[in-house]
Amino acid sequence: MSLHSRVADRVRYFPDSAIRVMSELASQHGAVNLAQGFPDFSAPEELKQAAVQAIRADWNQYANTAGSPRLRQALADKARWFNGMDVDPDLHITVTCGATEAMFATILALINPGDQVIVLQPFYENYAPDTLIAGAQPVYVSLHAPHFTFDPDELRAAFASGARAIIINNPNNPTGRVFTRAELQTIADLCLEYDAFAITDEIYEHLVYVDRPHTSLATLPGMAERTVTISGLSKTYSVTGWRLGYTLAAPDLTRAIRNAHDLITVGTAAPLQEAATIALNFPRAYYAQLGADYVRRRAILVTALRGAGLACDDPEGAYYVMADFSALGFEDDWQFARYLTEQIGVACVPGSSFYAPASLGKHFVRFCFCKKEETLRAASERLAQLNR
Ligand code: GLN
């Protein structure tokens, strides 16, 4: 057997995760890691205590495959007050190992080999491989720089070519866009006109910094039946390592998603699911504080980036900045990202990893700001050396 045939075709062409490559480079060089989006500050104390208690209380065996009934009830309550969605915990919710598994299970459950799936780009790095593993074909539609808006005619052309679904991420990783209601309505109208599913990753739903509330695509008229809403606890409660995600979907879709989820992972960590119900019942003030903290972190990073000669919008949501470094005279994003990590001491993610073809992203790099203010200040001091 030749070396090449020892691994399957479906994985052979997947690039290494650029986020992980840059995180490793950051630790090799002692750089401030603004590449991988995970908080370097603590999760809420009550939540940590609840996890300890759940283990002591012997929540040690398999969780209910659909998700802990208590957690699903808490998620249904949250879907009502926050998202404005009418959700039955037994019929509409599946708890998964992070939004990552939620997306994978959803695609396996809904998409046939040979189908086309519209992916807005720049895209979070898993969406295209997920689609390819399902044997489907991603069809890319660009969010055009500098403000990362889509052209409705380009989107219509992609639907007209026969797409079965569209994947959107709102608020958006990596651009920080929060789609306007009008943009969401355009997407919804096309889904209805072309009888397509919408798979909407709303994991950053509580991180919105503009003066318009988060709108779940599923709440637009006619969309509830054809939308799978994905979210999770990782970003809202700063527990990316707990791997708690979920899907909200119509009962027939939920049955299929649960079957895929059962095969992939059986269920996610039982004690962490029990603990998570505490977080979902935090007072509303928690979310206001979370947003205010992120607005300050965003300001530190954006100011430093502009000071160093990079161009970017203020991200409207999520915790990333997609910055254009063209003015700095580097050849491409990988060269710049390596230089920044190795020589300046700040790691970011090359923009090309969020695009197909990759060349579309070669003037961009992504930074995250889910870090302590002192971490962001340390990064700012280092970034200031870029201009010297
Ligand atoms: N969502 C995070 C990011 O975009 C982490 C993803 C990952 O580790 N692959 O950086």
Side-chain angles (χ1 to χ4, degrees):
M1 226 194 247
S2 83
L3 262 187
H4 273 303
S5 61
R6 281 157 60 85
V7 298
D9 292 345
R10 82 172 65 82
V11 295
R12 213 187 309 157
Y13 304 108
F14 292 160
D16 288 339
S17 156
I19 296 172
R20 224 154 320 292
V21 168
M22 293 312 298
S23 274
E24 277 160 29
L25 201 65
S27 54
Q28 272 168 33
H29 291 271
V32 180
N33 186 356
L34 302 187
Q36 192 178 21
F38 64 89
D40 68 346
F41 44 85
S42 295
E45 190 55 36
E46 308 91 286
L47 180 54
K48 295 195 293 186
Q49 285 300 334
V52 171
Q53 275 159 22
I55 291 173
R56 289 201 189 285
D58 264 330
W59 288 98
N60 296 321
Q61 309 311 325
Y62 299 118
N64 179 308
T65 294
S68 143
R70 270 180 2 119
L71 177 57
R72 278 185 284 131
Q73 184 58 57
L75 290 170
D77 295 343
K78 173 261 175 192
R80 193 160 296 113
W81 78 260
F82 181 72
N83 304 89
M85 290 166 69
D86 192 14
V87 165
D88 180 324
D90 292 330
L91 300 177
H92 296 102
I93 304 181
T94 309
V95 179
T96 57
C97 292
T100 297
E101 195 220 345
M103 180 61 73
F104 189 48
T106 298
I107 290 176
L108 288 186
L110 268 54
I111 305 300
N112 282 309
D115 283 342
Q116 293 183 8
V117 176
I118 299 171
V119 177
L120 295 178
Q121 70 171 349
F123 53 83
Y124 174 57
E125 63 178 15
N126 288 19
Y127 301 159
D130 284 353
T131 305
L132 290 166
I133 289 177
Q137 201 51 47
V139 177
Y140 301 101
V141 173
S142 287
L143 298 171
H144 294 287
H147 304 307
F148 298 108
T149 46
F150 61 81
D151 174 339
D153 293 332
E154 288 175 8
L155 192 58
R156 170 174 291 281
F159 274 94
S161 75
R164 181 172 169 90
I166 179 170
I167 298 175
I168 74 160
N169 178 208
N170 184 43
N172 187 262
N173 174 8
T175 66
R177 271 310 311 284
V178 173
F179 294 119
T180 62
R181 188 161 180 107
E183 286 172 310
L184 293 174
Q185 189 64 59
T186 301
I187 294 169
D189 288 346
L190 289 166
C191 286
L192 291 162
E193 182 178 341
Y194 288 98
D195 192 22
F197 289 120
I199 306 172
T200 168
D201 177 350
E202 300 181 6
I203 185 86
Y204 300 99
E205 61 194 349
H206 285 283
L207 304 181
V208 172
Y209 318 118
V210 283
D211 196 16
R212 51 178 183 270
H214 173 72
T215 301
S216 287
L217 187 62
T219 62
L220 270 60
M223 289 303 287
E225 289 303 302
R226 62 179 62 247
T227 301
V228 179
T229 305
I230 292 174
S231 191
L233 288 278
S234 299
K235 320 296 186 196
T236 307
Y237 307 105
S238 309
V239 286
T240 61
W242 286 26
R243 313 309 300 130
L244 290 174
Y246 59 90
T247 60
L248 310 176
D252 57 333
L253 305 186
T254 293
R255 274 195 298 279
I257 291 167
R258 286 179 180 178
N259 285 347
H261 160 66
D262 197 356
L263 284 169
I264 304 169
T265 60
V266 178
T268 192
L272 301 183
Q273 292 193 53
E274 294 309 316
T277 57
I278 296 263
L280 285 153
N281 292 317
F282 280 166
R284 308 283 156 92
Y286 172 83
Y287 305 97
Q289 186 63 50
L290 181 79
D293 291 345
Y294 270 107
V295 166
R296 281 200 311 281
R297 295 177 188 127
R298 177 183 72 156
I300 297 170
L301 179 62
V302 165
T303 305
L305 292 176
R306 289 185 186 140
L310 290 94
C312 59
D313 280 353
D314 282 338
E316 298 168 321
Y319 50 47
Y320 307 97
V321 182
M322 193 72 154
D324 184 331
F325 61 91
S326 313
L328 298 177
F330 287 81
E331 197 170 302
D332 67 22
D333 56 327
W334 276 98
Q335 191 209 18
F336 179 63
R338 283 188 200 283
Y339 174 82
L340 204 65
T341 307
E342 294 169 4
Q343 306 297 327
I344 302 291
V346 178
C348 57
V349 182
S352 59
S353 63
F354 304 100
Y355 282 92
S359 58
L360 290 173
K362 71 178 184 191
H363 300 301
F364 293 110
V365 284
R366 188 198 77 171
F367 296 85
C368 68
F369 54 93
C370 44
K371 303 293 172 189
K372 293 177 194 150
E373 290 184 26
E374 67 197 65
T375 309
L376 294 168
R377 290 222 166 78
S380 303
E381 279 168 26
R382 294 175 181 204
L383 284 166
Q385 292 162 21
L386 251 184
N387 258 348
R388 296 233 169 98

